[in-house]
Each structure stands twice: as C-alpha cells, then as structure tokens.
Amino acid sequence: MTETSTLPLRNPRSGQIEGELAVTPAAEVAAAAAALRAAQPQWERQGIERRCERLAALAEALAARRDAMIEMLLADTGRWHESVIEVDGTLAAIRRWAAQAPACLAEPAPRQDAIPFIQAQQTWVPYPVVGVISPWNFPLMLTLIDAVPALAAGCTVLAKPSEVTSRFVPLLREALAAAGLGEVFALVTGAGDTGQAVIEACDHVCFTGSVATGRKVAEACARRFIPASLELGGKDPALVLSDADVAQAARALAWGSFVNGGQSCMSIERVYVEAPVAEAFIAALVKEAAALDLAWPDPKQGRIGPIIAASQVELVRRQLAEALAGGARALTGGELVEHGGTWCPPTVLVGVDDDMAVMREESFATVLPVKVVADENEAVACANASEFGLSAAVFSGDPERAQRVARQLHAGAVSINDASLTAMVQTAEKQSFGHSGMGGSRMGSSSIRRFVRARALLVNTGVASPWWFPAAE
Ligand code: NAD
C-alpha cells in the first residue's frame, strides 16, 4: 500500500487549499483497532444502562461544543443552515439512542420450547470492533449515525470520515474524551487506503458512500466473512399525480431536491408529473427554485451552498451539458457559477428523455429534471426503471391512490405528500433496494440489532433426552 502522510484540505467556498489532513498510517489503524479490541470486553461488561449514560454524556459534551462544531462543519462543507440542522439533529439522535437502546436490546424472558424439557434463552453478543466509513455530505451525522447504536450495543467503533471533510474530527475526539468514550471510539483519517485498513481490522463494516466504493467494500468484507451494512447512492423519483396540490408539491420538492445543495443520498433527482397538472406544477416549481439564492458571499444569507467535493464539479457540468445539447431546456439555473469554489444555482430541466445521464445517474446537485407522463402507470414504470431504490415521493390528493402508487415503487421509503422524509424521520424501518444498499435497516429501533449476533442458550431442564444413545450398561 502506498501511503502519503498528508492530503490537501480544500475550502469548498473559495476553492483554496487551506491546510493538510494527516493520513493515519495503516500500522496505526491496526494498532487503534487492537486497542479497541482490548477495551471492548470491559465496555460490554458495564451493561447497556451504563453505556447509555456515556452516550448521554457525549450528547452533553457535543452540546457544549455546538457552536464550534457548526463552524467546523461550515469550514468542511461551505454551508451554514444545514450545519446547524446537522449538529442539532445529531444531538437529538444520540439522546434518542441513550434513552431507547436498553429496551431495544432487552433480553426476552426464557421461553419454553416445543420440546417440553428444553428452555431457550435468547442473548445478544456485540461485534467487538465496528468499522464506520463515511462520506462528505453530512460529515458528523453520517459518522455517528451507526457508531452511536453500535456503542450502545456494546461494540467499540473505529471510524474513518471522508478525507474531503475531516476538519471536524479533532473536535469530535475532544467531545468523546470529555464523555469518557476515548477508549472505545477511535477516529482515523485518510482516503481509500485508510478505509481498506479499517476493513482489514474490524468485525463489521458500516459504509455510507457511492455504489462504486460500496462494491469494493462489500468485496473486501466478503473476503473476510464479515458483514457489511451498505448505504449507497440514489436517484430518487417523485411522482406528481393529477389530483395533487401542485403548489404544495412544488414547495416540498424544492426542499427535497435542493436542500444541502442537492448533496443528499435521498435528494429528489427526477420528477414525473401527469400531463393535466404539468404546466401548473412546473410553473410553481420554477418559482420556488428561482427564489433560492446562493449562500454567497455570506453563508448565512441564501440557502444554496457550494458543490462540496471538487470531484463532483465535472460530473455535474457533464450531465448538464449533455442534457442541454440533447434538447433539454433549463427553465431556471442551468449554468455553474464560479466564486473560487463552484456553485450550482437551482436548475429545473424540462424536455428531458430517459436516456440522458441526468435521468439515470446520481447527480448529487441542485439539478431537477421534470418529465411529463401520460398517466400513473407510466409514472410508476419510469420511476422503477432505475438501478437505484433508495427512496421516492408521491403527491396525490387521494390518500388511497397515493398509497396504491407508493406500494408499487421500488424503494425502501416513500414520502407521501412530502419529500425526502427519511432525512427527518429516523424512527421508521427502511431498507435500500437495488444498488442503493445492502443489509438491515439503519432506521428504527430494530436497527441496533445489526450490531449484535444472536446467541441461543438451550437448557435441558433435567431429563435424559430421548434422542441420546441408550445409556451404557
Ligand atoms: P465515496 O464512495 O467516494 O467515499 C465514501 C467513503 O469511502 C470515504 O470516506 C472514502 O474515503 C472511503 N473510501 C474510498 N475508497 C475506499 C475503498 N476502496 N475502501 C474503503 N473506503 C473507501 O462517497 P462520497 O463521494 O464521499 O459520498 C457521496 C456518496 O455517498 C453518494 O453516492 C451518496 O448517495 C452516498 N450517500 C449515501 C447515503 C445513504 O444513507 N444511502 C447517505 C449519504 C451519502
């Protein structure tokens, strides 16, 4: 493995290189994992109530650093409003787990088996070291979303955030130490090589990122026979049916598509609108989109931050150029803006066709193509013609119709008369369909079960089993 000792840290607003990220050498990743493995039995023995007290302390330690953390995330991502939501949402999630984890992993009472003299006791055994590899679009939240329930379950955690957004790491380390979690949660920094070193050293991997990297992670985990929980990309569709409130749909979709500069896995990335309401809906959507200003030069003014990762810029440029050259029209936006960093004004595209990259590939940008369809069946068929299956949205004034359509969609979560609700609602179970992921639900109270193995204690309560060999004379 080739190792560089540092990577450049780029300011996404100005495009300037402003610092260096120290890359954790592979030997140090292995040493960190060994230390966690040594600390894990004691952590497990403490019991879930005590562990949850430590998690509640982490929430308090982060709350005490809230403003500094928002500043770090602003430096990492260039966006302000979402950094506030990210910190506050993460605090709420930690507090929720601290309160509910004990009930989620309570051992059931011993159960009488169908065989009358056998009792079965279900127990849970945590994976000693859980690896977390996270992306750049919500750096803090996506580093902690799996780590926190894993810690509650009695695992230790070795996390590697994205090399694009690692400025927040020292402050998170400080909060972990203040909460007494420094020995059971280690953070390492670097790019793909460091991620591979994490996979080699842990017992279960929670990966959030692209499909292409997810495939490499799944292959590496398969070689080691360790589970991989994969949360990958999406191309979420929204269906606006003829009986929808188009003004409400336009507002919801402007948020669902453009929040965080479209850099969310569950962003709405394509809309299928039934012909009778197409004109009114598109006009309302363009009005909403055009009203969203770039958050430049003041990050607190305007709602659209920069394209965070430099590597995304060419992808967005290529998709837009291909669509416009192929006959699509931008009713608002349509051109990237340079302020040192690169920004994408909210863009509504019409005249798109199904073969365009902007309709098939993840854009991860404030680009929303809208296709007019003849009816509900065409809308469903178009929505489902995708390798992805993360989430979707349906808008209809008829609750039964909305449910009927939602149940036909190839997606793990469907928002009805709203968009991207999985960003805000973490209590309902959902799995990723297709290439959008693999493994159990990350959401909902049962998600903590991903971090334990089920062990059955099968007790013979005192008779000779009839299947034994005859007793020796
Ligand atoms: P990415 O796949 O490029 O990188 C993700 C992480 O993997 C980074 O920490 C990176 O350093 C690491 N990595 C890279 N190569 C690796 C390798 N060979 N082995 C191990 N680790 C490696 O993704 P990204 O560009 O940071 O994030 C954007 C993607 O994340 C989008 O596709 C988005 O849809 C997806 N995402 C999914 C969810 C979800 O919940 N489904 C949430 C957020 C983002």
Side-chain angles (χ1 to χ4, degrees), residues 211 231-237 265-266 270 360 383-392 409-414 422 430-438:
V211 173
E231 301 283 347
L232 309 178
K235 187 76 189 168
D236 286 0
C265 55
M266 62 331 130
R270 51 200 170 112
R360 290 183 294 103
N384 286 345
S386 170
E387 64 173 305
F388 298 105
L390 198 59
S391 43
L409 294 178
H410 181 78
V414 184
T422 48
K430 61 167 279 277
Q431 283 174 279
S432 303
F433 291 16
H435 291 182
S436 287
M438 194 174 84

Side-chain angles (χ1 to χ4, degrees), residues 164-471:
V164 178
T165 50
S166 282
R167 289 171 177 87
F168 76 100
V169 169
L171 193 58
L172 177 56
R173 280 197 189 112
E174 195 184 294
L176 288 165
L181 290 166
E183 287 183 6
V184 293
F185 188 160
L187 288 146
V188 294
T189 50
D193 286 351
T194 314
Q196 284 294 325
V198 167
I199 295 170
E200 293 308 316
C202 64
D203 308 299
H204 180 153
V205 175
C206 293
F207 172 81
T208 309
S210 62
V211 173
T213 311
R215 182 169 279 118
K216 290 182 198 164
V217 171
E219 286 170 1
C221 289
R223 273 194 298 278
R224 296 199 57 233
F225 287 129
I226 61 172
S229 298
L230 306 179
E231 301 283 347
L232 309 178
K235 187 76 189 168
D236 286 0
L239 284 62
V240 180
L241 304 181
S242 54
D243 51 8
D245 177 333
V246 291
Q248 285 286 83
R251 271 193 70 196
L253 288 171
W255 183 83
S257 184
F258 303 143
V259 70
N260 205 37
Q263 298 157 115
S264 309
C265 55
M266 62 331 130
S267 278
I268 297 295
E269 295 220 347
R270 51 200 170 112
V271 178
Y272 302 101
V273 56
E274 277 191 287
V277 289
E279 201 181 320
F281 166 73
I282 291 168
L285 180 64
V286 169
K287 189 172 160 210
E288 298 293 339
L292 293 169
D293 292 327
L294 298 185
W296 174 269
D298 180 353
K300 295 183 188 173
Q301 304 285 324
R303 296 308 297 252
I304 305 298
I307 296 178
I308 298 171
S311 58
Q312 279 293 112
V313 173
E314 279 321 303
L315 181 150
V316 180
R317 211 188 292 284
R318 169 178 62 77
Q319 285 192 1
L320 274 177
E322 189 220 50
L324 296 173
R329 285 177 301 125
L331 299 184
T332 183
E335 275 181 41
L336 301 186
V337 172
E338 298 295 333
H339 286 303
T342 306
W343 307 59
C344 182
T347 295
V348 175
L349 293 177
V350 293
V352 289
D353 68 50
D354 298 332
D355 295 335
M356 290 175 175
V358 79
M359 293 294 280
R360 290 183 294 103
E361 298 172 5
E362 191 174 45
S363 303
F364 231 52
T366 45
V367 177
L368 188 55
V370 181
K371 181 181 171 182
V372 181
V373 292
D375 56 26
E376 171 187 314
N377 291 338
E378 187 186 354
V380 170
C382 287
N384 286 345
S386 170
E387 64 173 305
F388 298 105
L390 198 59
S391 43
V394 175
F395 292 84
S396 167
D398 174 348
E400 276 177 31
R401 187 180 182 209
Q403 284 252 348
R404 188 183 70 234
V405 171
R407 285 166 191 270
Q408 295 173 62
L409 294 178
H410 181 78
V414 184
S415 303
I416 295 180
N417 290 331
D418 207 325
S420 309
L421 279 177
T422 48
M424 311 309 285
V425 183
Q426 300 199 348
T427 52
E429 283 160 35
K430 61 167 279 277
Q431 283 174 279
S432 303
F433 291 16
H435 291 182
S436 287
M438 194 174 84
S441 175
R442 161 186 271 180
M443 307 296 191
S445 56
S446 74
S447 63
I448 197 170
R449 292 270 295 275
R450 289 175 300 155
F451 303 113
V452 294
R453 291 150 294 173
R455 178 165 58 199
L457 303 180
L458 303 171
V459 184
N460 180 322
T461 54
V463 301
S465 293
W467 50 79
W468 293 353
F469 294 129

Side-chain angles (χ1 to χ4, degrees), residues 16 23 28 32 42 67 75 83 142 153 178 212 273 305 347 383 392 416 436 457:
Q16 298 294 311
V23 174
E28 277 182 35
Q42 166 61 14
D67 292 348
S83 297
L142 292 173
V273 56
T347 295
I416 295 180
S436 287
L457 303 180

